[in-house]
């Protein structure tokens, strides 16, 4: 699934214009130099014990940074310190949000009001509207009469927010592990953690100590097991815009492309290929009988309201599982209606231009499943031979799918993401799991996103929090942008609030910017 966007048209000029508009001056390490924007968070020496280390600096972590800055600026009395020692570790060399899917004309699927701050504090300087004001585009954006900005502009907005926090972000740092660092001498409980990271460019490893660790590494591309791993011509949709220019250098172009998947990302890539590679033929292979529209109707869309998290978390697991399955039409294997209509109109135009469907530049092939892939050559150039099952003709008389073979120059797979990186990062702490480490056991979190440890094994003023990987307990919004502003405030209150979590439940009295926090539910 793509990051909440819909691509309707080829808009190369606008994409190029905003992409070249600098948000700040950056050096080769991704750090901003000479930026006038400075947050209230101050850098801390590596050897100090930090209040919090946040692994990853994507939208979820950015929302936490914004919420902490706002709380300090507003003089929140609920904060335990006016000088929090925080550090963000990011494996990329600079802030970037799904760069492989920043396609021309792609628009957001959610309202700009669900930005890094508005729903938590509309007076924050980090709102999307204030960004537009600072960029001198507020009036012109208003003339568009839309709540859905172009995705490339929204990424620029997040880059602008991120530029405020350059002093406390270490780019080019890939986290390797989170381990216990020291224990409370009186209780024997773990009182702090050591986060080890590595610079992927130099190979140099370093460690930072912290009482609290937030893991917000985002999703990792998930590839089907029946496709070759690491093949140079089989890429995930998240790599499309960045990898394709490297694959086809020097003006070379693919003659044929296969896109696998039935969701938003697959549809966007399928829609983009004719403009990126004129003359190439592209087929979209989907398992379903047709592309399905996403349900963004107002009542259903309330599943993404921040207050729904309390309700979802409180449900019995079986009830929660059933409701999540019903709500998946809002986000999984579905496509925005505008894009569906655009693609249908394009395919209809081919009916007017070509006598035979096999001649169409774009085709959607339903009931298809790729079983195996082989390397081959076409006119001396490397290519791929796909073996595909076609289940469209299954009937009482035909029990098995037919098999077809397709030869293509490139395969783009839109197969979603895995959100389990924390399991590997925390493997050195598995002996602290409730009941002890056991095979197949996974980490569980409280309502405040804090990891559940064995009672008494971790001090009350220390802990680990997980972001973006809690869909099973916190609902479909967990990995999306919709609740980031509010959740960022909750995280700040949970870690920096005057009443701390005790490793078992949550006991908070006030949220950031005056929002009430219900005991044992909202952190």
């Amino acid at each position: 699934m793509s990051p909440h966007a819909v691509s309707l048209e080829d808009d190369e000029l606008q994409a190029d214009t905003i992409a070249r508009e600098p948000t700040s001056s950056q050096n080769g390490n991704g750090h901003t130099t000479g930026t006038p924007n400075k947050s209230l968070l101050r850098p801390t020496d590596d050897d100090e014990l930090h209040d919090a280390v946040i692994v990853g600096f994507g939208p979820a972590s950015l929302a936490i940074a914004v919420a902490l800055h706002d709380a300090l600026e507003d003089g929140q009395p609920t904060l335990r310190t006016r000088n929090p020692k925080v550090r963000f570790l990011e494996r990329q060399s600079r802030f970037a949000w799904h760069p492989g899917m920043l396609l021309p004309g792609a628009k957001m699927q959610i309202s700009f009001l669900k930005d890094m701050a508005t729903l938590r504090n509309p007076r924050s300087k980090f709102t999307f509207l204030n960004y537009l004001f600072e960029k001198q585009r507020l009036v012109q954006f208003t003339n568009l009469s839309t709540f859905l900005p172009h995705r490339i502009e929204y990424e620029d907005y997040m880059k602008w927010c991120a530029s405020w926090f350059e002093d406390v972000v270490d780019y080019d740092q890939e986290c390797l592990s989170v381990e216990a660092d020291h224990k409370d001498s009186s209780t024997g409980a773990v009182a702090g953690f050591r986060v080890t990271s590595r610079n992927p460019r130099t190979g140099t490893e370093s460690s930072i100590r912290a009482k609290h660790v937030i893991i917000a590494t985002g999703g990792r591309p998930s590839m089907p097991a029946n496709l070759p791993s690491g093949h140079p011509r089989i890429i995930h949709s998240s790599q499309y815009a960045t990898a394709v220019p490297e694959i086809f250098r020097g003006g070379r172009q693919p003659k044929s492309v296969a896109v696998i998947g039935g969701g938003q990302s697959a549809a966007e890539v399928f829609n983009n290929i004719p403009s990126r590679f004129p003359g190439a033929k592209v087929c979209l292979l989907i398992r379903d009988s047709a592309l399905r529209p996403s349900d963004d109707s107002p009542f259903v869309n309330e599943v993404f309201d921040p207050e729904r998290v309390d309700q979802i978390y409180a449900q019995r697991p079986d009830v929660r599982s059933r409701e999540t399955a019903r709500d998946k039409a809002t986000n999984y294997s579905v496509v925005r209606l505008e894009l569906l209509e655009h693609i249908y109109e394009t395919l209809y135009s081919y009916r007017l231009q070509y006598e035979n469907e096999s001649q169409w530049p774009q085709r959607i092939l339903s009931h298809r499943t790729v079983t195996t892939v082989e390397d081959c050559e076409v006119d001396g150039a490397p290519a791929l031979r796909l073996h595909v099952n076609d289940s469209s003709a299954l009937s009482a008389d035909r029990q098995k799918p037919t098999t077809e073979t397709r030869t293509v120059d490139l395969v783009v797979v839109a197969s979603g993401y895995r959100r389990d990186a924390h399991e590997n990062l925390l493997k050195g702490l598995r002996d602290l799991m409730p009941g002890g480490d056991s095979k197949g056991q996974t980490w569980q979190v409280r309502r405040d996103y804090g990891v559940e440890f064995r009672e008494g094994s971790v001090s009350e003023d220390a802990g680990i929090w997980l972001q973006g990987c809690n869909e099973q307990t916190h609902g479909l919004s967990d990995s999306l942008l919709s609740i980031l502003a509010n959740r960022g405030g909750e995280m700040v209150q949970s870690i920096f609030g005057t009443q701390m979590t005790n490793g078992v439940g949550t006991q908070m009295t006030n949220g950031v910017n005056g929002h009430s926090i219900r005991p044992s539910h909202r952190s």
Side-chain angles (χ1 to χ4, degrees):
M1 184 69 185
S2 71
H4 305 290
V6 53
S7 180
L8 294 179
E9 59 191 61
D10 191 358
D11 195 359
E12 295 282 0
L13 179 60
Q14 182 184 32
D16 182 63
T17 300
I18 299 182
R20 287 186 285 107
E21 179 183 342
T23 58
S24 57
S25 175
Q26 292 184 333
N27 60 29
N29 294 323
H31 290 279
T32 301
T33 58
T35 174
N37 299 331
K38 294 289 184 181
S39 77
L40 297 179
L41 307 183
R42 296 291 174 256
T44 309
D45 291 339
D46 290 352
D47 56 358
E48 291 197 42
L49 179 63
H50 289 67
D51 293 307
V53 168
I54 299 89
V55 179
F57 193 57
S61 299
L62 180 58
I64 295 171
V66 167
L68 184 54
H69 171 95
D70 284 354
L72 293 170
E73 186 173 57
D74 292 345
Q76 285 295 313
T78 58
L79 294 185
R80 292 181 295 107
T81 175
R82 308 307 304 172
N83 298 292
K85 299 175 182 178
V86 298
R87 189 77 68 87
F88 297 84
L89 306 179
E90 170 55 47
R91 63 179 176 82
Q92 298 184 107
S93 59
R94 64 184 186 279
F95 185 93
W97 178 62
H98 293 285
M101 286 300 292
L102 291 179
L103 305 182
K107 290 187 177 182
M108 299 296 291
Q109 283 182 239
I110 64 171
S111 168
F112 67 80
L113 294 174
K114 295 184 176 182
D115 57 26
M116 297 293 105
T118 298
L119 297 186
R120 172 183 49 79
N121 177 17
R123 296 179 296 275
S124 169
K125 62 169 58 74
F126 292 98
T127 66
F128 182 76
L129 287 179
N130 188 53
Y131 154 81
L132 291 174
F133 178 78
E134 293 289 338
K135 294 290 184 176
Q136 300 181 9
R137 293 199 302 270
L138 179 57
V139 173
Q140 290 75 18
F141 182 86
T142 302
N143 291 337
L144 293 175
S145 298
T146 182
F147 281 92
L148 306 177
H150 281 260
R151 191 192 301 170
I152 195 167
E153 181 175 36
Y154 200 81
E155 195 222 20
D156 189 66
Y157 154 67
M158 288 194 286
K159 283 182 176 179
W160 174 78
C161 291
S163 71
W164 287 72
F165 301 97
E166 294 286 338
D167 287 346
V168 292
V169 180
D170 291 347
Y171 290 102
D172 285 318
Q173 289 297 319
E174 180 182 13
C175 184
L176 302 177
S177 64
V178 180
E179 299 174 312
D181 177 65
H182 62 280
K183 294 185 177 181
D184 187 307
S185 58
S186 61
T187 65
V190 174
F193 302 91
R194 181 176 296 273
V195 182
T196 301
S197 62
R198 176 178 57 205
N199 186 313
R201 298 186 180 188
T202 65
T204 303
E205 292 188 8
S206 57
S207 297
I208 299 180
R209 301 161 59 238
K211 301 182 72 174
H212 309 91
V213 178
I214 302 173
I215 299 178
T217 54
R220 297 179 296 168
S222 175
M223 296 290 282
N226 58 332
L227 297 182
S229 176
H231 196 287
R233 287 175 178 263
I234 302 177
I235 63 172
H236 191 267
S237 57
S238 62
Q239 305 168 294
Y240 172 68
T242 52
V244 164
E246 294 296 318
I247 297 174
F248 300 99
R249 292 183 175 182
R252 295 183 298 116
Q253 294 193 13
K255 296 180 180 179
S256 59
V257 181
V259 181
I260 302 174
Q264 183 73 24
S265 293
E268 288 184 0
V269 173
F270 176 72
N271 182 60
N272 176 261
I273 286 175
S275 60
R276 185 177 292 269
F277 298 118
K281 288 190 174 183
V282 54
C283 60
L284 177 62
L285 306 176
I286 64 175
R287 292 182 178 181
D288 205 346
S289 59
L291 293 175
R292 306 286 177 180
S294 58
D295 187 348
D296 61 352
S297 55
F299 289 109
V300 171
N301 218 35
E302 286 186 343
V303 70
F304 301 115
D305 290 357
E307 57 267 24
R308 284 291 296 275
V309 179
D310 282 338
Q311 176 185 333
I312 293 169
Y313 186 84
Q315 290 172 336
R316 295 200 322 261
D318 60 323
V319 175
R320 188 166 57 222
S321 179
R322 288 197 302 270
E323 290 203 2
T324 299
R326 285 198 297 267
D327 292 334
K328 283 196 171 183
T330 61
N331 189 56
Y332 290 103
S333 299
V334 289
V335 184
R336 288 282 288 186
L337 182 60
E338 296 90 338
L339 180 54
L340 287 181
E341 292 173 339
H342 172 76
I343 292 175
Y344 192 90
E345 184 177 358
T346 299
L347 298 184
Y348 181 81
S349 71
Y350 296 152
R351 297 181 183 276
L352 308 180
Q353 302 174 55
Y354 302 94
E355 294 182 359
N356 194 307
E357 185 176 338
S358 63
Q359 300 174 308
W360 293 7
Q362 295 173 277
R363 297 178 66 193
I364 298 178
L365 304 177
S366 61
H367 300 100
R368 298 308 203 277
T369 303
V370 177
T371 56
T372 57
V373 180
E374 298 174 351
D375 287 301
C376 63
E377 287 190 0
V378 176
D379 298 330
L384 295 164
R385 183 176 294 114
L386 308 184
H387 297 277
V388 183
N389 279 349
D390 177 5
S391 302
S392 59
L394 290 181
S395 64
D397 297 328
R398 176 175 291 178
Q399 300 295 318
K400 293 184 179 180
T402 58
T403 301
E404 59 187 25
T405 301
R406 296 188 171 276
T407 301
V408 297
D409 302 314
L410 175 70
V411 176
V412 183
V413 186
S415 49
Y417 299 85
R418 296 177 56 189
R419 302 186 182 277
D420 57 358
H422 61 282
E423 294 290 346
N424 184 59
L425 295 178
L426 299 178
K427 62 183 179 180
L429 298 174
R430 289 184 63 86
D431 60 318
L432 302 180
M433 283 182 159
D437 183 12
S438 61
K439 187 176 181 180
Q441 185 178 8
T442 58
W443 292 101
Q444 302 300 311
V445 295
R446 305 182 301 269
R447 165 59 184 89
D448 72 335
Y449 305 94
V451 168
E452 292 276 15
F453 289 109
R454 187 178 69 251
E455 185 175 359
S457 63
V458 176
S459 295
E460 294 184 2
D461 61 345
I464 293 176
W465 280 258
L466 303 182
Q467 298 282 274
C469 54
N470 305 305
E471 181 180 291
Q472 289 186 342
T473 53
H474 290 68
L476 289 173
S477 63
D478 188 72
S479 62
L480 308 180
L481 299 177
S482 300
I483 65 169
L484 289 189
N486 297 71
R487 193 174 72 188
E490 294 180 16
M491 295 297 296
V492 168
Q493 188 63 29
S494 183
I495 294 175
F496 297 98
T498 52
Q499 298 186 40
M500 298 299 297
T501 57
N502 61 10
V504 178
T506 305
Q507 186 68 29
M508 294 294 169
T509 55
N510 293 293
V512 175
N513 294 315
H515 290 277
S516 62
I517 304 298
R518 289 188 290 275
S520 300
H521 288 284
R522 197 182 292 274
S523 55

